[in-house]
């Protein structure tokens, strides 16, 4: 028998190129935005345009009269609940009586061409009675403030949570040194390259098919069905490779609107694709936040007391804002043992753009505060920032800052040890001394952690399905979206490892509510963690079945005498080989499939008895960690900060595909640097003033340094092959690491981010630093 | 307006409004969706194409301007098993994540290497500085372009 | 998206241009399109207008020496000028500005004439052209006039371009006596950025590091590029040192009139206008 001997089975722990990359480098990949068809129509919306108002009427006659306009819909035409959301379903598909932010969709137009669509949208008139706009969290919390949702018992406070441990704030009296500071961190735009896009068609059998750029096809299906009034089984959502998401497509964007539009033109595909400006206007953002921190330690640097107040501006809807805020609350004390803490976080409704999920999910805000005050405290005590942190970071078995025992793998101490021994830290003084004229150099560090998964109440479940095809290949039914992280490749790698197959013998089926099984969202650093574990189980089931049938076929008694190799089963004692295609022929259809479920572990700890906080995710049990170092050069003439070197040491468990892991680290750091240095979202009167790529500044290739990424690979038993989540933790640290480096370079610390040169210069002047 | 030009090495003739943007002509009329649009105003580079070998932004260029020109899109660089060296290196070096910037990025890099076959890492960063990527932090893209340049250099040597 | 189909012409020569333009006098002229297409997209009066693209007018693409001057065709792209030996050798300050303009594809499309006619206070080529006293050539069907750039640009987005007139070329004198050539731009990032403030400088520095002659022009700190003879005079004869520059700060404060915008506030721009001078003592001087 002729066979190729060079086929190497996939192996967990070994980098392999991404499966999706081949089609992506040739332009062949079909994103949701790439759909065009001859009979296709376009949908688009008229948006509120005012931050807060009561809608008196929506005048659509002129728009309807435009040639090529098929339908103009308003809230009256929505037969479902007209409400979307995950926890509190408070966001209308089409605004009914009230506009709560400038981007609220008020009327939906379906038209034969983009030109007719544009013309019709411009002709729609919304008559409103303005309401006082609530433009920041202080205004929202003030007595007598207008309620953005009159039916919400908490008024403008969407969620408030306080956690206390030990003696709480009373413990500050026992501290030898205390620092306090207030910071403001900005709204951040995801700026995925593919703006919100999708298409939909109402098919002959009455099923509404929606293909969208989304992270959450299964949740979308239920949300859309409920909002527009269809049974869930009449909605099918398909999620192709997505042109970036980072949390911004965690939830419905255009899906319900597409559904409404498609219902008006049965059989014809309807496309919707926001342009960049509309994406800025309508899309969710990282929550801006105000952070008040007070941190105290004993003279030897042992942290003793923490008080933190975090206020998140969630905009007008609970687009996961409560969950984001709860994660910030849980992470407020960072990866440290602090025996006495009081931390409070609030998610506050305003008429600003909608806050939502964004890589890091509330943690970058918390880390921005905590990682700066710990540096300030170290400096006050005359300790090096690394020594200070080494003394206080959690080790496995310790209790963290909210009093929860850390039981899963915990490598932050190891990360810091690697950092301490690295030349970028060890030789920092020499590097700083070699500074060019009119510049100052500094080195800063930050330590962060990021929870993996949904928390104790919401089941973090994945269902994997794998098929041995009649041709003898393996088809992996991927339930979780690949929005660019490469998890689909990792899934095949995982299945390939268990089944001893190479990538040529495997193919993925991308998420599709008709084809793949519900497996939750591509979010929460759980994409590979949870699904990977389910897939290992499914693959093992299928492997056993294949080997058992091969055993029968060979009249062998013990399946242990057989094993899988790429494309074949091998009989170890005789060397005889049976092609998998032959095995596939003798299995019936049901036998060729294996399905398995995994539910991620939850913490048994109860840092709070409030069920709503538990529902919002507190506490988690598995955490990834990172220690970052930034080396910066501050231009004393202009205040510009150049990040010259960047080091990341991560503990994300054992790596399955180190290259893909490193991609996540690099991308997270670049987004974190943008957050800390460049991305200054200016919102005035609820209006985004920096609503395009010429005014909202994200990093180019010349703004990101070469990064060094190292991994401390501590095994996490509950994860696939020892892995933890890796998608988010890297974004948490760059802001504070750079801020600490700037403070090290020139002694100034700004409190309002990002660290624009203007703000740096202002501080340099104020600090009496004479311009040279 | 009738416009004749060369598309990925083959002569084509189209009859479209002269003020149709090249990106729309490619995506909607010619079904070449490898060219992406992500900002519509020249700020992101996703719609980069090569016109007579020079990188240009197809969202800021009108169909009429193509008359008599040679236009190269990502579809004309390499397909299937016959990938261009740069495409291979993008795959091999992890330069691709979501992939939406990738076609424009590859064309920008191709233009760079034709102009400067042995660029430094700094020059590579400059060469792709008109192409925003939100996923990779650029480092593996720089690695891929550097590796391609080295291999081209080795072949010449 | 325009309400109707706009016509687009691509004249190959001046003669063709005049003919087309007289048939379609309301048509808007453009070269690279990097500004115009963005403005068209956002609607407004330009959205549906007919267009004349100048990128093929051969007369506008020339670069040639004319005695002590070099004539640059207004339609030359930034990229083609960056690579051109005559430009590189004679006008390093201009080349430095080209390198930080936009991005590679923008530089492949954008023309120097477009950068001038857009007349943005932040235009990257403008401060260098001001310090070199560039002379602009404006053509109409039956005539040619020459005007210094500082007279041509009259305000933000405003020029002295008359009806039926087109910028055809830029004349720049060779400036062999200058041995310090400097352009610094402060933007929000290192590429694809609009200038928050910029300074172009050319100077003659003696072997003893005395400023024998200096010309300075600031971008983005006033409605048009700021050039101040007072400052230039005050610095002449002074040593090339931080102290000399600091002594000129009060004059700088009087010369500039920056505004607040999304990119920076006026206060910061004022600081930059002063501080950018302090970079000069660190610049290399060619003997």
């Amino acid at each position: 028998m002729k066979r190729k001997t060079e086929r190497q089975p996939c192996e967990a722990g070994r980098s392999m190129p991404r499966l999706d990359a081949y089609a992506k480098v040739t332009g062949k990949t079909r994103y949701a935005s790439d759909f065009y068809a001859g009979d296709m129509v376009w949908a688009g919306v008229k948006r509120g345009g005012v931050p807060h108002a009561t809608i008196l009427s929506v005048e659509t006659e002129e728009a309807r009269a435009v040639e090529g306009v098929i339908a103009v819909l308003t809230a009256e035409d929505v037969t479902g609940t007209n409400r979307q959301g995950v926890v509190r379903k408070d966001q209308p598909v089409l605004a009914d009586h009230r506009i709560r932010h400038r981007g609220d969709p008020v009327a939906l137009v379906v038209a034969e061409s983009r030109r007719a669509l544009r013309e019709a949208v411009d002709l729609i008139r919304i008559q409103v009675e303005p309401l006082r706009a609530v433009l920041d969290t202080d205004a929202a919390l003030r007595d007598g403030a207008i309620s953005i949702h009159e039916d919400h018992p908490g008024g403008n406070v969407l969620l408030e949570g306080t956690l206390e441990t030990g003696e709480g704030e009373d413990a500050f009296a026992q501290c030898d040194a205390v620092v306090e500071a207030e910071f403001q961190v900005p709204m951040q735009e995801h700026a995925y390259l593919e703006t919100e896009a999708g298409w939909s068609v109402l098919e002959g059998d009455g099923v509404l098919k929606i293909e969208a750029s989304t992270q959450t096809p299964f949740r979308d299906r239920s949300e859309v069905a409920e909002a527009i009034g269809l049974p869930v089984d009449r909605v099918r959502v398909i999620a192709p490779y997505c042109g970036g998401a980072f949390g911004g497509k965690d939830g419905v964007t255009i899906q319900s609107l597409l559904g409404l539009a498609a219902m008006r033109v049965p059989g014809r595909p309807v496309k919707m694709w926001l342009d960049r400006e509309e994406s800025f206007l309508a899309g969710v953002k990282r929550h801006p936040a105000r952070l008040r921190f007070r941190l105290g330690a004993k003279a030897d640097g042992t942290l003793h007391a923490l008080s933190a107040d975090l206020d998140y501006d969630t905009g007008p809807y609970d687009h996961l804002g409560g969950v984001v805020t709860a994660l910030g609350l849980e992470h407020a004390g960072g990866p440290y043992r602090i025996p006495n803490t009081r931390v409070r976080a609030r998610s506050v409704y305003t008429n600003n753009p909608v806050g939502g999920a964004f890589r890091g999910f509330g943690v970058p805000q918390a880390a921005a505060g905590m990682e700066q005050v710990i540096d300030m405290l170290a400096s006050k005590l005359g300790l090096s920032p690394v020594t200070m942190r080494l003394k206080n970071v959690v080790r496995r078995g310790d209790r963290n800052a909210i009093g929860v025992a850390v039981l899963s793998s915990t490598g932050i101490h190891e990360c810091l040890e690697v950092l301490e021994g690295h030349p970028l830290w060890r030789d920092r003084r020499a590097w700083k001394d070699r500074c060019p004229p009119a510049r100052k150099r500094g080195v800063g560090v930050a330590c962060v952690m990021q929870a993996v998964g949904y928390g104790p109440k919401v089941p973090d479940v994945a269902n994997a399905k794998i098929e041995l095809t009649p041709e003898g290949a393996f088809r992996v039914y991927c339930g979780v979206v690949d929005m660019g992280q490469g998890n689909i490749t990792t899934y095949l790698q995982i299945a390939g490892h268990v089944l001893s197959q190479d990538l040529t013998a495997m193919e993925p089926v991308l998420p599709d509510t008709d084809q793949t099984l519900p497996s939750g969202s591509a979010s929460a650093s759980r994409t590979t963690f949870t699904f990977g574990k389910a897939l290992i189980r499914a693959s093992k089931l299928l492997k056993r079945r294949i080997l058992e049938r091969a055993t029968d076929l060979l009249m062998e008694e013990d399946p242990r005498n057989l094993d899988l190799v790429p494309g074949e089963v091998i009989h170890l004692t005789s060397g005889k080989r049976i092609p998998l295609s032959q095995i596939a022929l003798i299995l019936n259809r049901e036998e060729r499939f294996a399905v398995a479920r995994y539910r991620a572990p939850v913490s048994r700890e109860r840092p709070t008895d409030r069920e709503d906080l538990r529902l919002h995710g507190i506490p988690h049990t598995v955490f990834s960690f990172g220690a970052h170092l930034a080396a910066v050069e501050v231009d004393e003439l202009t205040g510009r900060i150049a990040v010259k070197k960047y080091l990341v040491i991560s503990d994300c468990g054992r790596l399955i595909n180190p290259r893909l892991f490193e991609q996540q680290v690099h991308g997270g750091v670049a987004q974190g640097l943008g957050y800390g240095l460049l991305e200054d979202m200016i919102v005035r009167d609820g209006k985004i003033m920096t609503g395009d790529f010429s005014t909202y500044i994200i990093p180019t290739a010349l703004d990101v340094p070469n990064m060094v990424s190292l991994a401390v690979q501590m095994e996490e038993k509950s994860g696939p092959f020892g892995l933890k989540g890796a998608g988010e933790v890297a974004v948490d640290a760059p802001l504070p690491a750079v801020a600490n480096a700037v403070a090290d370079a020139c002694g100034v610390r700004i409190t309002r981010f990002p660290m624009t040169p203007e703000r740096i210069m202002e501080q340099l002047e104020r600090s009496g630093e004479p311009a040279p | 307006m009738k416009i004749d030009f060369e598309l990925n090495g083959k002569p084509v003739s189209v009859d479209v409004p002269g003020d149709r943007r090249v990106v729309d002509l490619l995506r909607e009329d010619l079904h070449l969706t490898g060219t992406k649009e992500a900002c519509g105003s020249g700020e992101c580079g996703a719609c980069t194409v090569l016109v007579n070998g020079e990188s240009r932004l197809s969202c800021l260029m009108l169909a009429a301007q193509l008359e008599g020109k040679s236009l190269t899109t990502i579809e004309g660089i390499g397909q299937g098993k016959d990938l261009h060296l740069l495409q291979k290196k993008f795959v091999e070096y992890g330069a691709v994540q979501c992939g939406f910037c990738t076609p424009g990025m590859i064309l920008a890099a191709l233009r760079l290497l034709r102009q400067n076959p042995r660029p430094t890492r700094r020059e590579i960063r400059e060469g792709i500085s008109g192409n925003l990527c939100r996923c990779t932090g650029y480092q593996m893209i720089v690695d891929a372009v550097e590796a391609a340049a080295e291999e081209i250099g080795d072949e010449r040597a | 998206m325009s309400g109707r189909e706009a016509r687009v012409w691509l004249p190959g020569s001046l003669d063709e241009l005049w003919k087309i333009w007289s048939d379609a006098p309301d048509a808007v002229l453009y070269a690279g399109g990097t500004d115009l297409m963005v403005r068209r997209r956002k609607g407004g009066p330009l959205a549906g207008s007919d267009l004349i693209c100048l990128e093929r007018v051969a007369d506008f693409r020339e670069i040639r020496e004319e005695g002590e001057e070099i004539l640059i065709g207004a339609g030359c792209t930034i990229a083609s000028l960056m690579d051109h030996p005559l430009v590189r050798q004679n006008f390093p300050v201009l080349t430095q500005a080209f390198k930080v303009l936009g991005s590679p594809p923008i530089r492949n499309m954008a023309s120097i004439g477009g950068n001038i006619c857009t007349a943005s206070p932040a235009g990257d080529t403008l401060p260098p052209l001001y310090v070199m006293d560039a002379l602009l050539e404006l053509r109409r069907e039956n005539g040619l006039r020459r005007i210094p750039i500082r007279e041509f640009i009259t305000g933000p987005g405003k020029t002295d371009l008359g009806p039926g007139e087109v910028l055809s070329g830029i004349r720049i004198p060779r400036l062999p006596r200058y041995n310090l050539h400097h352009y610094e731009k402060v933007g929000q990032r290192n590429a694809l950025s609009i200038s928050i403030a910029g300074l172009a400088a050319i100077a003659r520095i003696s072997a003893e590091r005395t400023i024998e002659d200096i010309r300075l022009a600031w971008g983005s700190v006033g409605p048009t590029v700021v050039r101040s003879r007072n400052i230039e005079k005050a610095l002449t004869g002074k040593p090339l040192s931080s102290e000399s520059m600091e002594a000129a700060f009060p004059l700088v404060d009087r010369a500039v009139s920056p505004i607040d915008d999304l990119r920076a506030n006026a206060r910061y721009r004022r600081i930059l206008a002063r501080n950018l001078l302090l970079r000069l003592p660190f610049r290399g001087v060619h003997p």
Side-chain angles (χ1 to χ4, degrees), chain C residues 101-119:
Chain C
L101 186 152
S103 69
I106 294 283
R107 296 194 286 266
N108 285 337
M109 300 174 80
S111 68
I112 187 164
N115 203 243
I116 295 168
C117 290
T118 298

Side-chain angles (χ1 to χ4, degrees), chain A residues 37 43 48 110 116 144 159-160 211 293 303 315 337 361-362 415 425 479 489 510 519 559 578 582 627 635 709 748 754:
Chain A
V110 189
L159 182 81
E160 184 274 341
E211 182 178 287
F293 274 81
L303 291 177
R337 284 184 310 264
F361 209 81
C415 290
W425 178 253
T489 299
L510 299 189
S519 294
I578 310 171
Q582 199 179 326
D635 184 338
S709 166
V748 304

Side-chain angles (χ1 to χ4, degrees), chain A residues 36-347:
Chain A
Y36 296 95
D39 59 344
M40 186 178 88
V41 300
W42 288 88
V45 294
K46 172 78 177 180
R47 298 191 183 270
V50 292
H52 202 188
T54 303
I55 299 175
L56 302 175
S57 66
V58 185
E59 292 162 14
T60 61
E61 293 71 25
E62 277 184 82
R64 285 175 209 274
V66 172
E67 194 188 330
V69 168
I70 298 163
V72 181
L73 309 180
T74 64
E76 289 171 13
D77 302 297
V78 184
T79 50
T81 61
N82 192 21
R83 286 295 180 277
Q84 304 170 123
V86 179
V87 181
R88 250 199 118 232
K89 292 182 185 290
D90 59 6
Q91 183 168 16
V93 180
L94 288 171
D96 20 36
H97 62 286
R98 199 145 157 186
I99 293 167
R100 294 188 180 83
H101 82 115
R102 289 178 182 271
D104 261 340
V106 176
L108 171 70
V109 178
V110 189
E112 296 283 351
S113 68
R114 275 194 290 175
R115 183 173 291 189
L117 175 67
R118 177 81 63 101
E119 198 181 330
V121 166
D122 286 347
L123 286 170
I124 293 170
R125 297 280 171 270
I126 309 169
Q127 302 298 339
V128 298
E129 170 138 354
L131 295 169
R132 195 178 333 125
V134 179
L135 299 174
D136 58 54
T137 53
D138 283 339
L141 296 168
R142 210 164 282 146
D143 280 346
I146 185 167
S147 275
I148 291 170
H149 293 277
E150 275 149 1
D151 61 340
H152 181 51
N156 287 333
V157 178
L158 166 62
L159 182 81
E160 184 274 341
T162 304
L163 301 173
E164 242 185 281
T165 67
E167 296 170 41
E169 289 185 320
D170 293 344
F172 280 107
Q174 302 141 21
C175 292
D176 296 313
V178 175
V179 294
E180 61 181 300
E182 180 175 321
F183 304 100
Q184 277 182 61
V185 287
M187 186 177 283
Q188 188 180 20
E189 178 79 10
H190 302 75
Y192 25 73
L193 270 269
E194 185 193 33
T195 50
E196 295 81 347
W199 64 280
S200 176
V201 63
L202 182 63
E203 297 189 313
D205 55 4
V207 169
L208 179 71
K209 183 167 94 179
I210 302 170
E211 182 178 287
S213 191
T214 177
Q215 295 171 238
T216 47
F218 287 93
R219 206 173 67 210
D220 293 354
R221 179 175 57 166
S222 338
E223 269 190 75
V224 170
E226 197 181 322
I228 69 173
L230 286 174
V232 170
D233 63 359
R234 276 187 53 201
V235 180
R236 173 183 179 189
V237 179
I238 299 169
Y241 285 114
C242 173
F246 317 112
K249 297 168 185 170
D250 185 347
V252 167
T253 57
I254 41 85
Q255 292 87 322
S256 298
L257 294 163
L258 269 176
L260 285 174
M263 306 284 281
R264 292 294 161 136
V265 280
R268 292 184 72 181
V270 183
K271 179 168 178 166
M272 194 166 168
W273 187 10
L274 306 193
D275 67 19
R276 180 58 61 186
E277 290 82 354
E278 193 175 11
S279 174
F280 266 89
L281 176 63
V284 299
K285 320 291 173 208
R286 185 185 304 290
H287 291 65
R290 185 180 51 206
L291 321 160
R292 294 193 184 98
F293 274 81
R294 197 165 166 229
L295 184 66
K298 298 288 193 183
D300 68 350
T302 305
L303 291 177
H304 191 66
L306 167 73
S307 166
D309 282 276
L310 319 176
D311 283 338
Y312 290 77
D313 177 348
T314 202
Y317 301 116
D318 181 12
H319 203 292
L320 292 166
V323 196
V324 165
T325 303
L327 203 70
L329 174 66
E330 187 179 359
H331 289 69
Y336 301 106
R337 284 184 310 264
I338 313 173
N340 308 288
T341 59
R342 187 211 60 99
V343 290
R344 180 178 74 156
R346 291 183 293 194
S347 195

